[in-house]
Amino acid sequence: MADHLLEVQDLSVTFHTVRGPVNAVRNVSWHLDRGEVLAILGESGSGKSVSASAVMDLIDIPPGEIASGRILFEGRDLLTMSHDERRRINGKRIAMIFQDPLSHLNPVYSVGWQIEETMVIHGTSRADAQRETVALLRKVGIPDPEGAAVKYPHQFSGGQRQRLMIAMALALRPDVLIADEPTTALDVTVQAQILGLLEQLQAETGMGLLIITHDLGVVAEMADRVVVMNAGEIVETGSATDVYRNPQHPYTQKLIAAAPGQGDMSHGVPEQEPLLRLTGVKKNYGAFTALNGISFDLMAGETLAVVGESGSGKSTMAKVLLQLEEASGGQAEYKGRDLLTLSPKELFEMRRDIQMVFQDPTQSLNPRMSVYQLISEAWVIHRDILPKDRWKARVAELLEQVGLLAEHMHRYPHQFSGGQRQRIAIARALALEPRIIVCDEAVSALDVSIQAQVIELLDKLRHELGLSYIFIAHDLPVVRDFADRVIVMQAGEIVEQGSVRQIFEAPRMRYTQDLLAASLDPDPEVQAARRNSRLEIAQ
Amino acid sequence: MRSFLTKRAYASLISLLFLIVAVFFLSRLTGDPTNLYLPVDASLDSRERFRALHGLDDPLILQFGRYLADLAVLDFGDSIRRSQPALDVVLEAFKWTLALAAITMTIVTITAIVIGSLAAFRVGGLFDRTATFFSLIGASAPDFWIAIVAIVLFSVNLGWLPTSGTGTVWHWIMPIGVLFIRPFGLILQVVRGAMITALGSAYVKTARAKGVASRPIIFVHALRNAMLPVITVIGDQAAAILNGAVVVETIFGFPGVGKLMIDSILQRDFAVVLATIMVTAFAIFVMNLLIDLAYAVLDPRIRY
């Protein structure tokens, strides 16, 4: 058997918790060679990051325990080495970058110092390290590298921070780079840039690249081979194209089928008088213009998607519409009245009709309230909706409507999974019998298969109850499957709006075209074709 | 930065003014100093003269006005007891308290940070449990009791240390030792808590992935992040000592502001009481500024 650069053999990791031992991964084996990109694909809780943590000696023992297995790096077992020996490998031979670079960079030291540190602890002199740092910053595309080195992490944008992490990891030209969800919190165009940078650097250095991700699109874009994990075990291994074209395991098949962006696009709702009409809505924060004249219509029963990158004003628009923030100008006409200039009493009445579902149900549901309390609170505030003796029956009805059980009403949010919590949040919004629901990134934090289920639920409720949705999202494939019409926002303005077909098949504006081009397709061959066309354009 | 300083100074000045009003009138409620300084059988005439001499014969509101007017030119009045400017009396005592606070807090800070950090590194280990046990006892022990027990043990029974005064190094050991205990317990707990958070953070994971050794991870990566809440408590505790470690100074006969304050209240030496309050208030104002500055030095995200 030929030696691989990095090889995990039969690894099992157990965490000893107060509720007993939890097997994080069981009998996991994979290998990585020089110049190769391996992806570990899995949903949350699948154990996809655990073997990488074991490689980096990041598992705390106790409560963790490596129950079995070997991790061979150039033929030597890392698990039998001392911590000192492993420390000499970490950062120098094997390096790692993480999701959420802001929290993974130390906030109180300059980024230059942090990059230098990697080199200094492995024996480079401080002066050499300083020179090298500037070169690295230039290489990863940070503007003004000399000036950037003395700045602190909070002074950079999300994409730049990930570039800084990459510079730090690649400082000593490691043989292996492990990237744990490197682009998950980033905008699509920034994601494309970061993945492009990783590809380019890998080609230059010939290192082995291990990418841990939940995103089929990232696998399609980057990986030569893929390892699919579910519930702590590897269910399938193969080349990225084979696994996508011909998945063997039922879990893989389910995962690929759930990937958004493959369904039929909507034909839109029939022409009619709009339910809600925004004209020239503005919002300023001091001298900063967050919304610069937003105008659109929303029809009854329609799903209107609002897409755009972070800072484009999507969420500000929702807040202004719900009067959580006061508009600086413009009108929002609903049932013949301007929502933006209502008296407090009228506003109270109107609030029923427009409800909101937020991104993170863990934060938007009060952990100290039972499901019954969470849902019925709406009727405590709006007293005339339902007499108290009918509350229980109605909560049960709503829970069943969102696919939960009536007996769930006495439980608390922490007893549910992320997808179930989002269902509770939807039931809570439905309690007031609204006409419009604003979903602010409501499915972004969910795993792909759960995401598909929640979208299905939203779609069902729309038909049953005649709801309209304002669906704020950054994930274009989800929008493509779910929306009737799409608004594209950039820097507080609407750059383009139209039917979902028009936006996805014939985008007119350059910005929309860029967004679509940066979005990743789960099909490796489609991604390869896009990459080639990008290269041709570049040449 | 300058506008921050000005705002701070104004806010402090206003609270100080309220304090002066309260203390000025409340202290007069303790009685007439004349009864204390003149013999019981002093003639009415000599009492009148004493009152006139110290400005005690005017209506209270007039006395207050005069006091404020003098204060405006930094005249804090004279001590009745010692016949010298009240400010001089207070500054002399403050010198001793400042030294006591500085020495105590330096020792407390260094030991609490080192021990707290090491305790946080292995939560639940023997070192952590021992440190937590003693720091909790320290944080909750009443200082008057410890002071008396210390005197009984080290001075009376063993005869190792003097009971009171400031003459030699030996005189300082017991006051510092007793003042050390409570802040040490409190600060150690805060350091430990903040360090547990910092050591569990994502940037520490990055440092481990870079191959940084344990000691720099604790004292370079985590500690500086953990220092913000710690500094707040250090400031509080230092202020408490500056404010007059009344009990400890009195028990050990230490000539600091705490003892001076108690003495001058009992002696109805109003000018000294007020001057003590203003000097300590100023010290605490400076102390808080230093804490704010330390925040900005430690955390680049904080700018005023």
Side-chain angles (χ1 to χ4, degrees):
Chain A
M1 192 184 74
D3 262 0
H4 296 291
L5 176 61
L6 179 65
E7 182 169 15
V8 172
Q9 290 178 345
D10 206 25
L11 182 74
S12 297
V13 178
T14 307
F15 287 95
H16 295 278
T17 69
V18 279
R19 293 184 189 171
V22 176
N23 295 318
V25 292
R26 274 187 306 274
N27 304 322
V28 164
S29 302
W30 50 259
H31 62 86
L32 177 70
D33 288 319
R34 229 170 268 281
E36 182 188 42
V37 182
L38 174 71
I40 300 183
L41 175 71
E43 298 186 291
S44 47
S46 64
K48 61 181 185 292
S49 300
V50 176
S51 46
S53 296
V55 171
M56 299 306 291
D57 198 16
L58 293 178
I59 293 175
D60 283 317
I61 298 171
E65 185 203 339
I66 297 188
S68 74
R70 300 199 297 168
I71 299 175
L72 301 179
F73 177 63
E74 294 181 326
R76 293 178 62 211
D77 188 359
L78 292 176
L79 297 179
T80 59
M81 290 182 191
S82 70
H83 285 295
D84 274 340
E85 273 182 286
R86 299 191 67 177
R87 211 161 45 229
R88 283 196 286 276
I89 292 174
N90 273 7
K92 184 169 186 181
R93 309 291 314 278
I94 309 178
M96 185 162 182
I97 62 173
F98 302 89
Q99 182 183 352
D100 185 14
L102 178 60
S103 65
H104 281 90
L105 288 164
N106 197 324
V108 301
Y109 292 100
S110 72
V111 300
W113 185 88
Q114 295 187 55
I115 296 170
E116 286 159 29
E117 191 194 24
T118 311
M119 295 180 263
V120 171
I121 53 178
H122 291 289
T124 315
S125 75
R126 181 62 73 174
D128 287 348
Q130 277 170 349
R131 254 194 313 281
E132 184 61 23
T133 295
V134 174
L136 279 162
L137 288 172
R138 183 170 295 124
K139 191 168 183 177
V140 297
I142 297 285
D144 180 24
E146 283 90 0
V150 297
K151 286 194 193 166
Y152 292 89
H154 70 276
Q155 293 168 298
F156 294 88
S157 72
Q160 286 177 328
R161 285 183 204 126
Q162 195 57 286
R163 287 172 190 269
L164 296 169
M165 289 289 287
I166 293 172
M168 192 158 84
L170 296 186
L172 293 168
R173 296 183 160 261
D175 301 276
V176 175
L177 177 64
I178 300 174
D180 189 355
E181 298 272 12
T183 57
T184 298
L186 303 176
D187 285 323
V188 277
T189 49
V190 181
Q191 161 167 292
Q193 289 161 12
I194 295 292
L195 293 179
L197 176 67
L198 284 174
E199 266 171 307
Q200 174 211 331
L201 293 171
Q202 193 224 6
E204 276 176 37
T205 60
M207 62 186 174
L209 176 59
L210 172 67
I211 292 192
I212 300 163
T213 183
H214 70 283
D215 190 340
L216 277 167
V218 171
V219 176
E221 165 72 18
M222 300 291 289
D224 301 313
R225 285 186 305 118
V226 59
V227 166
V228 185
M229 288 196 67
N230 181 35
E233 289 178 346
I234 292 180
V235 297
E236 189 154 356
T237 312
S239 86
T241 318
D242 282 351
V243 169
Y244 182 76
R245 284 272 166 262
N246 197 9
Q248 298 299 312
H249 193 276
Y251 175 78
T252 321
Q253 291 164 357
K254 198 186 90 188
L255 200 65
I256 291 170
Q262 310 171 84
D264 292 330
M265 280 192 271
S266 153
H267 290 277
V269 295
E271 201 62 32
Q272 56 186 289
E273 200 48 29
L275 180 67
L276 172 73
R277 165 166 280 171
L278 264 65
T279 346
V281 173
K282 284 197 171 106
K283 173 72 196 172
N284 302 320
Y285 294 102
F288 176 73
T289 308
L291 291 179
N292 190 13
I294 297 293
S295 307
F296 64 82
D297 293 347
L298 177 71
M299 312 293 167
E302 184 182 46
T303 300
L304 177 68
V306 182
V307 301
E309 300 188 284
S310 43
S312 63
K314 311 185 294 270
S315 294
T316 310
M317 190 270 289
K319 284 182 200 149
V320 166
L321 186 59
L322 286 152
Q323 292 284 288
L324 300 175
E325 302 252 2
E326 207 177 319
S328 314
Q331 279 136 37
E333 202 184 313
Y334 174 75
K335 287 184 173 170
R337 284 179 298 179
D338 181 8
L339 294 179
L340 305 183
T341 55
L342 293 177
S343 68
K345 189 171 168 296
E346 286 174 312
L347 181 64
F348 181 76
E349 292 287 312
M350 183 281 292
R351 282 245 153 96
R352 270 183 205 190
D353 281 10
I354 307 182
Q355 285 296 300
M356 188 147 180
V357 176
F358 297 91
Q359 170 168 10
D360 184 356
T362 315
Q363 286 179 29
S364 64
L365 298 175
N366 186 333
R368 309 238 182 280
M369 286 167 83
S370 71
V371 171
Y372 173 78
Q373 288 171 320
L374 284 165
I375 295 177
S376 63
E377 191 184 26
W379 306 318
V380 178
I381 299 163
H382 294 267
R383 294 228 180 89
D384 52 328
I385 293 187
L386 207 63
K388 194 162 181 183
D389 54 332
R390 291 206 44 226
W391 286 8
K392 212 164 206 157
R394 180 74 178 130
V395 171
E397 197 179 304
L398 283 168
L399 285 175
E400 276 160 21
Q401 204 161 23
V402 297
L404 296 171
L405 300 173
E407 66 235 44
H408 285 155
M409 75 171 77
H410 301 298
R411 296 195 192 164
Y412 288 84
H414 72 268
Q415 294 168 291
F416 295 91
S417 69
Q420 287 175 322
R421 279 186 214 141
Q422 201 58 300
R423 286 171 191 267
I424 296 167
I426 293 170
R428 177 174 65 174
L430 291 176
L432 286 170
E433 292 158 21
R435 301 289 311 279
I436 300 171
I437 295 184
V438 179
C439 303
D440 190 357
E441 301 278 7
V443 298
S444 303
L446 304 175
D447 280 325
V448 190
S449 51
I450 309 295
Q451 194 177 50
Q453 291 164 13
V454 173
I455 291 283
E456 204 172 296
L457 170 67
L458 289 172
D459 202 37
K460 183 190 88 158
L461 293 171
R462 175 170 65 160
H463 290 299
E464 285 175 9
L465 307 172
L467 294 171
S468 302
Y469 294 118
I470 294 178
F471 190 80
I472 298 170
H474 70 277
D475 190 356
L476 295 173
V478 172
V479 167
R480 179 189 173 283
D481 288 355
F482 184 50
D484 297 308
R485 274 193 312 125
V486 180
I487 286 176
V488 183
M489 287 186 69
Q490 185 193 19
E493 294 185 25
I494 294 179
V495 279
E496 183 164 3
Q497 58 176 309
S499 75
V500 65
R501 282 170 185 279
Q502 185 195 324
I503 295 288
F504 277 84
E505 285 172 355
R508 285 190 305 261
M509 305 304 289
R510 179 65 200 264
Y511 181 70
T512 316
Q513 291 162 359
D514 286 347
L515 269 187
L516 287 169
S519 158
L520 298 176
D521 194 279
D523 187 335
E525 284 171 8
V526 172
Q527 259 330 111
R530 281 191 197 166
R531 202 163 43 224
N532 286 337
S533 68
R534 271 207 304 274
L535 284 178
E536 277 163 28
I537 293 169
Q539 284 159 4
Chain B
M1 187 70 199
R2 180 164 294 172
S3 78
F4 168 77
L5 274 180
T6 331
K7 233 182 275 172
R8 257 310 165 72
Y10 276 126
S12 306
L13 221 64
I14 290 168
S15 29
L16 189 59
L17 207 63
F18 276 107
L19 199 65
I20 292 172
V21 174
V23 174
F24 185 91
F25 289 102
L26 282 177
S27 60
R28 305 285 148 153
L29 291 180
T30 58
D32 186 344
T34 321
N35 299 335
L36 216 61
Y37 287 90
L38 296 188
V40 187
D41 54 357
S43 67
L44 212 61
D45 188 41
S46 55
R47 278 166 189 274
E48 299 274 291
R49 259 185 289 126
F50 182 85
R51 287 207 182 92
L53 179 67
H54 295 287
L56 298 166
D57 51 349
D58 290 323
L60 210 46
I61 194 76
L62 204 69
Q63 289 184 38
F64 184 62
R66 195 166 54 221
Y67 183 76
L68 284 188
D70 288 347
L71 201 56
V73 291
L74 294 182
D75 177 358
F76 290 74
D78 291 332
S79 162
I80 304 179
R81 173 90 179 175
R82 306 182 200 206
S83 322
Q84 67 187 108
L87 188 62
D88 293 355
V89 175
V90 175
L91 287 180
E92 171 61 25
F94 185 72
K95 210 170 63 190
W96 291 102
T97 298
L98 190 64
L100 187 62
I103 297 171
T104 309
M105 288 313 293
T106 309
I107 301 174
V108 167
T109 305
I110 293 171
T111 48
I113 286 177
V114 172
I115 296 176
S117 302
L118 294 174
F121 189 63
R122 292 242 183 278
V123 180
L126 184 65
F127 186 82
D128 178 34
R129 278 180 292 163
T130 315
T132 306
F133 178 74
F134 282 105
S135 73
L136 284 177
I137 290 183
S140 39
D143 47 10
F144 67 89
W145 181 78
I146 295 178
I148 290 167
V149 170
I151 289 180
V152 170
L153 187 65
F154 295 111
S155 306
V156 180
N157 288 353
L158 296 171
W160 290 353
L161 296 168
T163 56
S164 65
T166 57
T168 66
V169 176
W170 304 106
H171 287 94
W172 289 72
I173 292 181
M174 275 202 292
I176 289 176
V178 173
L179 284 176
F180 171 87
I181 292 171
R182 196 198 311 245
F184 171 73
L186 285 171
I187 294 171
L188 188 135
Q189 283 302 308
V190 178
V191 170
R192 180 180 172 273
M195 281 298 283
I196 289 174
T197 312
L199 286 169
S201 68
Y203 53 80
V204 163
K205 201 166 142 191
T206 309
R208 286 169 67 180
K210 276 157 82 171
V212 182
S214 298
R215 205 179 309 164
I217 283 187
I218 302 176
F219 292 109
V220 178
H221 282 270
L223 185 59
R224 189 160 156 191
N225 280 283
M227 277 310 281
L228 292 186
V230 175
I231 284 178
T232 315
V233 185
I234 292 176
D236 271 3
Q237 294 301 314
I241 299 180
L242 282 180
N243 238 327
V246 177
V247 173
V248 172
E249 286 187 0
T250 308
I251 291 178
F252 292 108
F254 191 89
V257 275
K259 186 163 184 304
L260 177 66
M261 199 180 316
I262 284 293
D263 290 349
S264 47
I265 289 172
L266 294 176
Q267 292 155 1
R268 294 178 196 161
D269 204 347
F270 302 139
V272 176
V273 175
L274 282 159
T276 318
I277 283 166
M278 275 177 279
V279 168
T280 50
F282 182 74
I284 286 164
F285 170 74
V286 173
M287 183 81 221
N288 280 322
L289 270 188
L290 288 177
I291 291 172
D292 287 328
L293 277 176
Y295 278 163
V297 169
L298 285 170
D299 191 338
R301 287 167 297 183
I302 297 173
R303 287 288 170 267
Y304 301 112

